[in-house]
């Protein structure tokens, strides 16, 4: 959802705060179950998405999003490995 919103912002900005509802719900789910390092990266992704929807957003932020997305996936995978490797 974050990727969809960032890509959407390249052409046009969202017209309603309701468009952020799905992303907000996903972020809340992450906050409930993920460790702090994963939550912190998810929070940075949320900030990039919100910034991408402002008129003054910069294209360089899109590159930051790609890096943050990779960091998030890596951190989430590490957490899942810890969870599933416990006896």
């Amino acid at each position: 959802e974050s990727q969809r919103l960032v890509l959407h912002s390249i052409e046009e900005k969202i017209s309603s705060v309701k468009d952020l509802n799905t992303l907000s719900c996903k972020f809340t789910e992450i906050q409930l179950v993920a460790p702090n390092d994963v939550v912190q990266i998810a929070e940075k992704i949320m900030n990039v998405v919100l910034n991408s929807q402002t008129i003054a957003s910069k294209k360089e932020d899109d590159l930051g999003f790609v890096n943050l997305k990779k960091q998030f996936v890596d951190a989430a995978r590490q957490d899942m490995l810890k969870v599933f490797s416990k006896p």
Side-chain angles (χ1 to χ4, degrees), residues 28-75:
T28 300
E29 290 173 9
I30 291 168
Q31 287 178 306
L32 288 172
V33 299
N36 285 338
D37 58 331
V38 175
V39 172
Q40 288 173 351
I41 298 168
E43 190 172 276
K44 289 177 184 178
I45 290 173
M46 282 284 290
N47 287 335
V48 168
V49 170
L50 293 175
N51 287 337
S52 75
Q53 295 299 326
T54 65
I55 293 173
S57 68
K58 301 174 188 150
K59 297 292 181 215
E60 305 88 62
D61 294 340
D62 296 343
L63 295 176
F65 171 78
V66 171
N67 186 38
L68 284 172
K69 182 179 166 187
K70 181 185 179 322
Q71 289 177 27
F72 175 79
V73 170
D74 290 344

